[in-house]
Amino acid sequence: MYQQALCRFGNFNAIQLSEPAPLLELLTMALKDDESMSDVNEKEKLEIAEVNTEILKENAEMINEYFSIHIDQGGNLTRLPVVLDQYTPDMDRLPEFMLTLGNDIAWDVEKECFRTAAAAIGNFYALHPPILPNPSGKGIRLYKKNKDSMESAGQADNDLTSTDEDDIDQELLAEAEAAWAQREWTIQHVLFPSMRLFLKPPKSMATDGTFVQIASLDKLYKIFERC
């Protein structure tokens, strides 16, 4: 996603949000969820959110021109860039993304500004696991209606993995199953084909364990010839 952000620099298509998203609210949400800010009181968090809102508004023209992130004069986010066709980022991570843009971008140094902005976009668009846990296998136990009243995580397996329909939050389970099914479909039909076409990994990834060779066609041909 980072490479795609760099390749599409200044030439992004855009996703139009169905409703404008107020920056101040997004930033406030991100600060509340940020564990490193747990010791900061609400008033200080609001002040930080206001400062970051002003930073993003001041740089709105630049980030719209180069990254198709549109912020209107009222401080509302209205458009996001298309980093990969047929792919939509996890919008639950939008508050965190806007906080990163406001807080971690080197606005005063052109090259570093573009690099850090592309890195923030790449991280936002990366395929993260759904917020809801995977319900397959024993994971279904996490959707038991009475999970909060369990005495301990060490209860018998037959209790933890009960699939009694009356004991399972079916609505939440269906939402989780849909999210994980969509993730698998996206990996198979969008990400893998795109990686085959566009990914240009650095040489270091050949030896650091990022890529692992599973088979060699040359060696397989020799085996088939002997057969």
Side-chain angles (χ1 to χ4, degrees):
M1 295 302 179
Y2 172 66
Q3 288 185 349
Q4 284 297 295
L6 291 177
C7 289
R8 299 189 181 208
F9 179 80
N11 193 33
F12 286 91
N13 291 324
I15 302 170
Q16 183 73 38
L17 300 187
S18 56
E19 294 183 6
L23 286 180
L24 187 60
E25 291 184 19
L26 291 173
L27 291 164
T28 302
M29 289 170 59
L31 290 166
K32 286 182 179 179
D33 293 339
D34 190 341
E35 295 181 359
S36 66
M37 300 290 290
S38 58
D39 296 332
V40 179
N41 62 49
E42 295 302 314
K43 182 180 179 181
E44 290 176 317
K45 288 180 180 178
L46 180 58
E47 290 175 352
I48 294 170
E50 289 173 343
V51 169
N52 280 277
T53 298
E54 290 305 312
I55 290 173
L56 290 171
K57 287 170 66 176
E58 289 171 4
N59 293 279
E61 184 177 353
M62 185 270 287
I63 59 177
N64 180 49
E65 179 178 356
Y66 294 120
F67 296 107
S68 290
I69 299 172
H70 185 262
I71 297 169
D72 64 22
Q73 294 181 345
N76 300 302
L77 176 69
T78 61
R79 287 198 300 268
L80 288 169
V82 175
V83 172
L84 196 63
D85 296 333
Q86 298 183 321
Y87 180 85
T88 302
D90 183 354
M91 300 305 282
D92 288 334
R93 297 180 182 273
L94 183 58
E96 179 186 352
F97 172 53
M98 299 315 297
L99 181 61
T100 301
L101 282 183
N103 205 39
D104 296 346
I105 306 303
W107 299 106
D108 299 329
V109 184
E110 185 177 67
K111 184 176 179 180
E112 189 64 9
C113 172
F114 295 152
R115 187 194 68 79
T116 51
I121 291 171
N123 185 57
F124 172 48
Y125 280 77
L127 186 66
H128 300 277
I131 292 177
L132 292 172
N134 192 337
S136 64
K138 291 185 178 181
I140 197 171
R141 69 189 184 186
L142 300 171
Y143 295 90
K144 288 170 68 83
K145 292 178 181 177
N146 64 343
K147 64 178 182 298
D148 292 332
S149 62
M150 293 180 179
E151 293 181 0
S152 70
Q155 287 181 297
D157 283 349
N158 60 339
D159 291 332
L160 290 173
T161 57
S162 169
T163 55
D164 187 338
E165 289 189 1
D166 293 333
D167 198 30
I168 298 294
D169 187 332
Q170 296 296 332
E171 184 176 347
L172 191 62
L173 177 62
E175 184 179 347
E177 288 175 338
W180 282 89
Q182 178 62 40
R183 181 176 190 266
E184 291 182 8
W185 186 93
T186 300
I187 290 172
Q188 180 178 353
H189 297 286
V190 179
L191 290 186
F192 278 176
S194 298
M195 289 170 67
R196 187 181 301 117
L197 288 172
F198 304 121
L199 181 63
K200 299 183 184 301
K203 291 181 180 179
S204 60
M205 288 187 176
T207 56
D208 66 2
T210 301
F211 292 95
V212 179
Q213 185 179 35
I214 343 185
S216 166
L217 287 179
D218 289 341
K219 293 180 179 178
L220 287 175
Y221 285 142
K222 291 178 181 178
I223 293 173
F224 293 147
E225 286 173 0
R226 289 199 298 269
C227 293

